[in-house]
């Protein structure tokens, strides 16, 4: 909705530095830039900015908040974001830059937006093996959250033209680096379990992983819930009793509101978006749920938001938080 026409720029040897600098400035400011990686084109946003990350979910029209892969320019940046285990370091040494995303526990002081990780205690990290992607990461100076740059439900883009066709005017800039070398997404490997598990097969084969670190589970062959952690209610539940669809307040409750309302009697209020903007609400959701989750309240009462666009994802998360535990 930012431009009528997609803004595609070919990256060539002669304009390289100025194009990368311009793209990095957009990322830093919280705008969306699509960039090539060796796997597929990503839809990139400053991972530390809630509003930028919310714009990614909005542009893709993801029906739910599915966590995004966080891209970094160098493995040395990883320990600031996650608990970087020995096995992670070994895999990074062998496969980064490359088509391997590692799921690791987020650090308590991790600067990445909670929304980017869909409120989970883990993050998926990878260093892409593409000059343009890495130059952009270095120049931006922040981690970049980037799902594949396609509308939800479509196949991933491997040409700048695919991005323009799918997301068109919703992207501030599309960096055209030609066709993607691999054309299939990265392998997603969960390192938070006793035995590492492949949540999504991708550019790095299971055999290569096992050669490096020994046995790896294939989540498709176990009883483990596959790659949609967002489907598990407990991931989104605060500690306090939580209810949604609130139209009045009970004694001692904190209120998670949306837009103007006439409710009174709450102990504390956080408003997802005073002027009823769903993108802003999505950006605030996980951080505000956490901010209200304090033992001085008897519970959290959340208002429902309109069941449209990102509102569906927000209501979905509110309902999961309110589900019986
Ligand atoms: O090759 C790729 O991985 C491309 C390029 C742009 O890097 N990105 C990509 O992102 O395919 P996306 O958002 O389309 O897919 C990310 C996958 C999803 O299946 C998501 O559930 C999973 O990674 N994922 C991300 N964070 C996760 C986490 N903390 N726990 C479990 N799964 C996670
Ligand atoms: Mg995708």
């Amino acid at each position: 909705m930012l431009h009528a026409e997609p803004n595609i720029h070919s990256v060539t040897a002669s304009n390289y530095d100025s194009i990368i600098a311009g793209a990095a400035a957009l990322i830093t400011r919280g705008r969306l830039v699509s960039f090539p990686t060796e796997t597929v084109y990503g839809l990139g946003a400053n991972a530390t900015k809630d509003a930028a990350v919310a714009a990614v979910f909005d542009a893709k029209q993801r029906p739910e908040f599915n966590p995004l892969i966080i891209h970094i320019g160098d493995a040395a940046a990883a320990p600031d974001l996650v608990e970087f285990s020995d096995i992670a370091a070994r895999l990074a040494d062998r496969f980064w830059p490359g088509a391997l995303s590692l799921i690791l526990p987020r650090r308590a002081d991790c600067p990445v937006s909670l929304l980017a990780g869909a409120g989970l205690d883990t993050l998926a990290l990878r260093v892409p093996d593409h000059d343009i992607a890495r130059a952009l990461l270095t120049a931006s100076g922040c981690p970049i959250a980037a799902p594949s740059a396609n509308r939800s439900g479509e196949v991933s883009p491997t040409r700048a033209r695919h991005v323009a066709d799918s997301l068109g005017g919703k992207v501030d800039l599309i960096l055209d680096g030609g066709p993607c070398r691999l054309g299939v997404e990265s392998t997603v490997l969960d390192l938070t379990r006793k035995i590492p598990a492949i949540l999504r097969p991708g550019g790095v084969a299971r055999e290569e992983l096992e050669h490096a670190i020994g046995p790896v589970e294939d989540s498709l062959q176990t009883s483990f819930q596959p790659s949609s952690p967002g489907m598990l209610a407990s991931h989104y539940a605060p500690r306090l009793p939580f209810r949604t669809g609130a139209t009045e307040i009970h004694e001692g409750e904190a209120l998670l509101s949306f837009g103007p309302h006439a409710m009174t009697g709450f102990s504390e209020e956080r408003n997802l978006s005073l002027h009823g903007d769903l993108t802003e609400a999505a950006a605030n959701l996980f951080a505000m749920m956490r901010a209200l989750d304090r033992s001085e309240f008897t519970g959290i009462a959340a208002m429902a938001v309109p069941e449209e666009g990102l509102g569906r994802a927000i209501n979905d998360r509110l309902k999961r938080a309110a589900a019986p535990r």
Side-chain angles (χ1 to χ4, degrees):
M1 277 166 286
L2 299 156
H3 306 284
E5 284 302 314
N7 191 8
I8 303 187
H9 277 249
S10 284
V11 183
T12 63
S14 59
N15 68 13
Y16 199 87
D17 290 345
S18 64
I19 290 253
I20 295 293
L26 286 172
I27 289 283
T28 309
R29 277 172 25 222
R31 312 299 286 269
L32 303 188
V33 175
S34 177
F35 60 94
T37 79
E38 82 280 29
T39 59
V40 300
Y41 275 76
L43 176 62
N46 186 335
T48 66
K49 290 201 162 178
D50 288 327
V53 171
V56 167
F57 283 103
D58 196 29
K60 278 183 68 86
Q61 299 177 320
R62 279 212 196 201
E64 316 208 317
F65 298 139
N66 200 359
L68 307 180
I69 293 172
I70 307 304
H71 297 70
I72 50 178
D74 193 282
D80 290 340
L81 308 180
V82 295
E83 308 291 345
F84 207 60
S85 59
D86 290 348
I87 194 164
R90 221 151 75 220
L91 286 164
D93 228 37
R94 168 73 185 75
F95 296 103
W96 283 358
L100 179 65
S101 296
L102 299 176
I103 312 261
L104 292 157
R106 344 171 18 125
R107 285 178 57 117
D109 59 354
C110 176
V112 170
S113 150
L114 288 168
L115 177 58
L120 299 175
D121 294 329
T122 57
L123 272 190
L125 282 192
R126 92 175 182 102
V127 179
D129 186 13
H130 196 291
D131 287 348
I132 295 174
R134 293 185 75 192
L136 178 63
L137 283 158
T138 306
S140 303
C142 61
I144 295 181
S148 51
N150 53 281
R151 236 177 300 159
S152 188
E154 294 178 351
V155 295
S156 294
T158 53
R159 307 271 189 288
R161 171 51 50 194
H162 300 165
V163 179
D165 289 347
S166 180
L167 296 175
K170 302 198 167 197
V171 193
D172 290 283
L173 174 64
I174 301 169
L175 295 177
D176 188 350
C180 298
R181 186 163 57 76
L182 283 176
V184 63
E185 297 93 335
S186 63
T187 300
V188 178
L189 185 69
D190 186 352
L191 292 181
T192 65
R193 316 158 98 239
K194 216 184 285 163
I195 300 177
I198 295 176
L199 302 187
R200 179 180 73 180
V204 171
R206 174 186 179 150
E207 291 78 4
E208 297 178 75
L209 294 173
E210 297 200 314
H211 187 72
I213 56 163
V216 162
E217 273 180 6
D218 192 327
S219 68
L220 304 172
Q221 287 166 13
T222 70
S223 59
F224 176 67
Q225 291 284 114
S227 60
S228 298
M231 304 311 290
L232 305 174
S234 59
H235 280 125
Y236 300 97
R239 283 174 303 239
L240 282 183
F242 191 95
R243 63 191 183 94
T244 184
T247 52
E248 85 285 292
I249 298 296
H250 305 159
E251 170 101 39
E253 277 182 330
L255 174 64
L256 184 64
S257 56
F258 175 81
H261 64 86
M263 274 184 265
T264 54
F266 43 77
S267 296
E268 182 168 325
E269 175 181 16
R270 299 277 164 135
N271 198 309
L272 291 170
S273 171
L274 266 172
H275 39 269
D277 180 274
L278 287 169
T279 305
E280 182 184 26
N284 285 330
L285 180 65
F286 291 125
M288 289 188 173
M289 277 170 71
R290 289 198 181 207
L292 292 178
D293 195 15
R294 305 203 305 272
S295 55
E296 68 213 69
F297 308 129
T298 56
I300 301 170
M303 290 170 64
V305 305
E307 186 72 5
E308 61 190 41
L310 278 180
R312 268 190 261 278
I314 296 169
N315 282 331
D316 175 84
R317 293 303 179 264
L318 294 175
K319 280 185 205 135
R320 286 174 199 286
R325 308 186 191 159

